[in-house]
C-alpha cells in the first residue's frame, strides 16, 4: 500500500505530540528518520551527545513502529547515506514517491534555511508546520518585542504566566509576587550534598550506538562512558519524578551554588529530555505547581523552576529567531582573543574552571551557574572571541542546540549583542565564586589576593575588562557606578591590576585547531 505523506522527524523532534504527527494515521504516512554525518560534525559534538541523539532516535522509531507506523530509518553507516538531511529526504522521495512532505520546523536557523529550499528541489509539495511544543509562537515573541529597546525577560515571563495560568490566582500571581529570585541565592554550607540524579543503564540499542560512536567519533571531545542519560520518554518521566520527589524542594535556595563533589546539586538535569522532545515543558511545570499546591514544595523553588522553563527557555527561543542571523556574528565588545586550550583539556590551575571542565567532559553537562559565572564569566572578562565560545558550548553540552545555546552565550554571558538580552554584563571577580562555591579553598591561586603572580586571575581580569570597556559600560545604570571605585584606586594600583592581568592573558595557550570543527 502506498502511503501519501512522508514525515521527516529530526533528532530533537522525538515527541508523540509533534505537529507533523498530529491527526496522522499509520496507514497514510511513512516516517523518515536520518542519522547523518553533517549533523554529528557541523560542530564536533561531545560523544555522549551523539549517543543520546542516535539512541533516542532509534528508541523513538521503535515506539512508532509498535503503533503501526512504517518508519524508514537511515543509519549512519548505511552504504548510500548522503550525510545530510536534504540528500536523505531526496532519496526517501525516490523510494516512496509521496504526494506530500510534511515536517515540523527546525529548531536551528541553519537547518531551517535548508528546509526552505526543499519545496523548489523536490517533485512534491513540502509543508513546514510550526513547532507547537513551545508555549510562545514566533508571532507571540514578535508582538512582545515590538517597540522595546531592551527585551527584558521578566515582562515576557509574566505574559507566559498569564497565557498558561501557571501559578496564577485569577489575574494575580500566586502569593502576589511574580518572581522570588531574591530568595534563591543561598551559598552552599560546608558538606552540602544533594541526592544523586538517576542514571539509566544502557540497553542493547544504546550499547550498539556507544560502540558506533566510539569507533566513528573517537576524536570528539568528552568521555563516552559511563553513559546514563534518559533515552526514552519512560526514562525521562522517571528522571522527572525523581527530581520532584527528592530535589525540587531545595532547587530554589541552592540554584546558584556550586559544589565540588556534588556536580548536579539540586538541579533537575532534565534539559536534554526537554530539548530532544521526550518531555513536554507544560507537563513538567504543571507537575511542579502540583507539588506546591499539595504543600510538598515551597513556592520559591517551584516558581524558580517554572520561571526557568516558561520564562528563560521560551524567551531565549523567541530571542534567537528574532535576532538571527545577526546574533551569530555579534561582537559588540570587540572581543578577539582565541579560546584557551585548557577549555578542551581541563589543564589549568584555576580550580573552579578545572572542575567545571571536568564535569563537562565526564557528563556532557555543567549546571547553569557553572556555565554562567565560572566558564562564561572567564570568557567575558578575558575577552574571548564570541564565535569560538559559542562553538565550544554548542559542542560540549548534551543539551546544546543553537536556539538555546547562542542567546545564552552571545547575549547572557558575553554581552556580544550590545545589551539586547541582558541589562548588564555578568562580570564578576573571584569574590563571587568564593562566596557561592567550595572551589577556592583548594586552589593554587589566592582568592583574596588582588594582584601579583598568586592572585586569583578573576580579580585582575575583572578590572582589566572594566577598564578596556569603559566607553561602552560607563553609562550603563546597573554597572557604571563601579568606575568611581576604579578611579579612587589611583594610577599605581590600577597599573598593578592591568599588568597582572596582561601577564596572565599572555600566558594563555590558544586552543589547537580541530577541537570544535574538523580542520
Ligand atoms: P535546571 O537548573 O533544573 O532548570 C530547569 C530547566 O530550565 C532546564 O532544564 C532548562 O530547560 C531551563 N533553563 C534554565 N535556564 C535556562 C536558560 N538560561 N536558557 C534556557 N533554558 C533554561 N540550556 C540548554 O538547554 N541548552 C544549552 O545549550 C544551554 N547553553 C547555555 C549556555 C550558557 C552560557 C548558559 C549560561 C546557559 C545555558 N543553558 C543551556 C541554560 C542552562 O544552563 C541549562 O538549561 C541547565 O544547566 C540545564 O540543566 P538542568 O536541566 O538541570 O536545569
Ligand atoms: C545533534 C544531532 C546529531 C548529533 N545528529 C543528528 C542526526 O544524525 N540526525 C538528526 O535528525 N538530528 C541530529 N541531531 C539533531 C539536529 O542537529 C537538530 O535536529 C537540528 O539541528 C535542528 O535543531
Ligand atoms: Fe577560581 Fe580564583 Fe577561586 Fe581559584 S581562587 S577557584 S581561580 S575563583
Amino acid at each position: 500500500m502506498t502511503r501519501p505523506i512522508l514525515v521527516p522527524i529530526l533528532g530533537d523532534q522525538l515527541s508523540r505530540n509533534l505537529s507533523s504527527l498530529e491527526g496522522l494515521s499509520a496507514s497514510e504516512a511513512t516516517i523518515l528518520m536520518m542519522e547523518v554525518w553533517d549533523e554529528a560534525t557541523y560542530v564536533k559534538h561531545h560523544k555522549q551527545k551523539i549517543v543520546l541523539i542516535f539512541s533516542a532516535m532509534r528508541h523513538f522509531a521503535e515506539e512508532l513502529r509498535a503503533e503501526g507506523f512504517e518508519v524508514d530509518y537511515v543509519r549512519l553507516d548505511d552504504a548510500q547515506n548522503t550525510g545530510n538531511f536534504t540528500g536523505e529526504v531526496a532519496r526517501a522521495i525516490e523510494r516512496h514517491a509521496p504526494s506530500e512532505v510534511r515536517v515540523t520546523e527546525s529548531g536551528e536557523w541553519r537547518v531551517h534555511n535548508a528546509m526552505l529550499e526543499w519545496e523548489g528541489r523536490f517533485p512534491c509539495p513540502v509543508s513546514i508546520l510550526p513547532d507547537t511544543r513551545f508555549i510562545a509562537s514566533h508571532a507571540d515573541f514578535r508582538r512582545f518585542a515590538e517597540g522595546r529597546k531592551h527585551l527584558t525577560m521578566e515582562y515576557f515571563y509574566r505574559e507566559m504566566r498569564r497565557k498558561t495560568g501557571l501559578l496564577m490566582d485569577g489575574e494575580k500571581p500566586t502569593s502576589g509576587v511574580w518572581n522570588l529570585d531574591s530568595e534563591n541565592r543561598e551559598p552552599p554550607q560546608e558538606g552540602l550534598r544533594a541526592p544523586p540524579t538517576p542514571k539509566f543503564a544502557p540497553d542493547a540499542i544504546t550499547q550498539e550506538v556507544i560502540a558506533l560512536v566510539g569507533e566513528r567519533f573517537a576524536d570528539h571531545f568528552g568521555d563516552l562512558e559511563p553513559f546514563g542519560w534518559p533515552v526514552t520518554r519512560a526514562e525521562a518521566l522517571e528522571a522527572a519524578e525523581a527530581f520532584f520527589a527528592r530535589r525540587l524542594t531545595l532547587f530554589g535556595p541552592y540554584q546558584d551554588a556550586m559544589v565540588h563533589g556534588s556536580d548536579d546539586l539540586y538541579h533537575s538535569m532534565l534539559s536534554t529530555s526537554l530539548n530532544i522532545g521526550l518531555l513536554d515543558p507544560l507537563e513538567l511545570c504543571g507537575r511542579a505547581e502540583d507539588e506546591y499546591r499539595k504543600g510538598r514544595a515551597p513556592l520559591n523553588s517551584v516558581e524558580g523552576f517554572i520561571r526557568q522553563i516558561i520564562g528563560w527557555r521560551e524567551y531565549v527561543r523567541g530571542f534567537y529567531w528574532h535576532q538571527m542571523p545577526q546574533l551569530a556574528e555579534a561582537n559588540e565588545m570587540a572581543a578577539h582573543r582565541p579560546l584557551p586550550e585548557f577549555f578542551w583539556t581541563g589543564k589549568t590551575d584555576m580550580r573552579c574552571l578545572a572542575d567545571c571542565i571536568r564535569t563537562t567532559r565526564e557528563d556532557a553537562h555543567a549546571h547553569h551557574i557553572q556555565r554562567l559565572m565560572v566558564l562564561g564569566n572567564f570568557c567575558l572578562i578575558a575577552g574571548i572571541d564570541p564565535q569560538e565560545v559559542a562553538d565550544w558550548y554548542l559542542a560540549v553540552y548534551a543539551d546544546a542546540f543553537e536556539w538555546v545555546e547562542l542567546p545564552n552565550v552571545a547575549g547572557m554571558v558575553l554581552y556580544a549583542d550590545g545589551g539586547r538580552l541582558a541589562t548588564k554584563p555578568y562580570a564578576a571577580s573571584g569574590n563571587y565564586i568564593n562566596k557561592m562555591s567550595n572551589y577556592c579553598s583548594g586552589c593554587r591561586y589566592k582568592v583574596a589576593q588582588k594582584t601579583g603572580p598568586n592572585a586569583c586571575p578573576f580579580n585582575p581580569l575583572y578590572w582589566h575588562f572594566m577598564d578596556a570597556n569603559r566607553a561602552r559600560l560607563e553609562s550603563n545604570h546597573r554597572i557604571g557606578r563601579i568606575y568611581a571605585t576604579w578611579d579612587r584606586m589611583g594610577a599605581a594600583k590600577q597599573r598593578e591590576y592591568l599588568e597582572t592581568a596582561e601577564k596572565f592573558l599572555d600566558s594563555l595557550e590558544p586552543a589547537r585547531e580541530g577541537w570544535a570543527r574538523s580542520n
Side-chain angles (χ1 to χ4, degrees):
M1 183 173 44
T2 47
R3 295 177 166 83
I5 308 173
L6 180 71
V7 181
I9 295 184
L10 310 185
D12 56 356
Q13 299 185 337
L14 310 179
S15 315
R16 192 58 191 84
N17 65 348
L18 195 68
S19 53
S20 58
L21 288 174
E22 215 172 285
L24 207 65
S25 75
S27 60
E28 61 181 343
T30 302
I31 310 295
L32 173 68
M33 298 182 72
M34 310 153 268
E35 293 173 6
V36 289
W37 185 254
D38 287 3
E39 290 307 304
T41 56
Y42 72 92
V43 291
K44 292 169 73 177
H45 302 287
H46 193 298
K47 295 185 194 80
Q48 285 185 40
K49 181 175 177 185
I50 304 177
V51 175
L52 167 73
I53 307 257
F54 286 7
S55 174
M57 284 173 66
R58 290 181 186 195
H59 281 94
F60 191 67
E62 286 310 312
E63 287 168 15
L64 290 177
R65 281 187 184 124
E67 273 190 57
F69 280 100
E70 179 187 68
V71 182
D72 183 352
Y73 192 99
V74 181
R75 288 186 172 221
L76 187 78
D77 283 339
D78 285 354
Q80 311 295 317
N81 191 332
T82 55
N84 62 73
F85 288 143
T86 301
E88 285 316 291
V89 176
R91 283 202 318 125
I93 290 173
E94 282 172 19
R95 285 195 294 276
H96 303 288
S99 52
E100 180 192 345
V101 172
R102 190 179 294 176
V103 66
T104 294
E105 67 185 330
S106 152
E108 297 196 347
W109 179 264
R110 178 182 61 80
V111 179
H112 181 67
N113 283 334
M115 270 185 191
L116 291 180
E117 293 186 0
W118 288 359
E119 177 87 35
R121 273 178 181 238
F122 299 148
C124 60
V126 177
S127 322
I128 302 178
L129 307 179
D131 192 341
T132 50
R133 298 171 302 167
F134 289 93
I135 298 153
S137 66
H138 298 312
D140 285 342
F141 195 87
R142 271 197 302 274
R143 264 192 304 276
F144 160 75
E146 215 168 273
R148 290 178 197 258
K149 184 161 175 260
H150 293 288
L151 301 175
T152 311
M153 197 287 290
E154 180 63 22
Y155 300 114
F156 173 84
Y157 167 54
R158 292 180 190 181
E159 284 187 16
M160 291 299 104
R161 288 273 291 275
R162 289 193 190 95
K163 181 169 181 175
T164 59
L166 285 160
L167 291 180
M168 295 296 292
D169 293 331
E171 288 298 298
K172 298 233 156 62
T174 299
S175 88
V177 184
W178 289 103
N179 182 324
L180 294 162
D181 200 30
S182 58
E183 294 177 28
N184 287 353
R185 293 174 193 153
E186 285 290 312
Q189 307 114 348
E190 184 76 36
L192 180 72
R193 293 281 181 282
T197 317
K199 306 275 184 236
F200 298 88
D203 65 5
I205 293 179
T206 305
Q207 282 171 18
E208 194 184 354
V209 175
I210 289 174
L212 172 79
V213 172
E215 196 179 309
R216 301 296 305 277
F217 302 100
D219 68 333
H220 284 214
F221 172 79
D223 295 354
L224 177 58
E225 294 181 277
F227 177 91
W229 290 104
V231 293
T232 61
R233 176 162 163 78
E235 288 179 348
L237 285 169
E238 193 183 324
E241 285 312 313
F243 168 69
F244 292 127
R246 304 176 68 192
R247 301 202 304 288
L248 174 63
T249 314
L250 289 176
F251 170 85
Y254 294 119
Q255 214 178 332
D256 289 0
M258 297 173 281
V259 173
H260 171 75
S262 186
D263 290 337
D264 315 337
L265 265 185
Y266 289 91
H267 292 271
S268 70
M269 302 296 283
L270 296 175
S271 53
T272 58
S273 300
L274 272 167
N275 293 352
I276 65 174
L278 303 180
L279 293 175
D280 180 76
L282 272 181
E283 86 183 319
L284 277 186
C285 293
R287 273 290 288 113
E289 176 164 6
D290 259 9
E291 291 298 299
Y292 167 68
R293 300 272 178 213
K294 290 182 177 149
R296 295 196 291 246
L299 188 58
N300 58 321
S301 285
V302 172
E303 187 279 318
F305 181 72
I306 289 176
R307 175 162 24 89
Q308 301 313 311
I309 294 181
I310 67 166
W312 279 112
R313 185 171 186 272
E314 291 289 325
Y315 169 85
V316 298
R317 191 246 183 180
F319 187 86
Y320 173 77
W321 286 102
H322 192 254
Q323 298 290 312
M324 282 297 280
Q326 302 86 322
L327 190 62
E329 308 282 321
N331 192 358
E332 284 281 325
M333 307 301 275
H336 296 294
R337 195 175 304 282
L339 188 78
E341 176 75 358
F342 75 72
F343 266 71
W344 298 104
T345 62
K347 287 187 186 145
T348 168
D349 287 342
M350 301 173 80
R351 189 166 183 251
C352 52
L353 280 160
D355 199 53
C356 294
I357 294 163
R358 175 203 50 79
T359 174
T360 302
R361 190 192 68 239
E362 286 178 359
D363 302 329
H365 190 89
H367 73 62
H368 186 65
I369 297 301
Q370 294 173 317
R371 294 188 209 194
L372 179 66
M373 296 309 294
V374 177
L375 297 155
N377 180 28
F378 179 86
C379 292
L380 171 73
I381 64 182
I384 312 293
D385 185 291
Q387 286 170 32
E388 294 205 16
V389 180
D391 274 1
W392 185 81
Y393 277 93
L394 191 56
V396 302
Y397 291 117
D399 60 19
F401 295 88
E402 196 185 63
W403 65 265
V404 50
E405 166 272 324
L406 189 59
N408 274 296
V409 169
M412 192 183 293
V413 160
L414 298 180
Y415 208 68
D417 64 342
R420 291 284 279 169
L421 187 146
T423 46
K424 63 163 189 161
Y426 283 93
S429 67
N431 201 21
Y432 176 88
I433 296 171
N434 188 35
K435 181 173 149 217
M436 297 310 294
S437 78
N438 62 357
Y439 290 137
C440 299
S441 56
C443 185
R444 101 121 176 90
Y445 293 108
K446 304 288 161 255
V447 71
Q449 212 160 308
K450 309 290 183 199
T451 58
N454 294 324
C456 163
F458 280 95
N459 296 336
L461 285 178
Y462 173 82
W463 286 116
H464 186 267
F465 167 81
M466 294 306 296
D467 182 58
N469 290 290
R470 184 164 194 154
R472 292 185 183 91
L473 300 178
E474 196 165 19
S475 59
N476 182 304
H477 71 284
R478 294 197 60 201
I479 204 169
R481 272 172 304 195
I482 202 76
Y483 288 101
T485 310
W486 179 235
D487 291 339
R488 272 198 305 276
M489 282 182 201
K493 190 75 198 160
Q494 287 179 348
R495 208 165 35 249
E496 258 182 64
Y497 269 114
L498 298 181
E499 281 174 8
T500 308
E502 290 290 347
K503 237 184 212 159
F504 174 82
L505 290 170
D506 287 346
S507 76
L508 294 175
E509 184 194 343
R512 69 166 170 78
E513 301 233 332
W515 274 115
R517 291 181 190 261
S518 299
N519 39 12

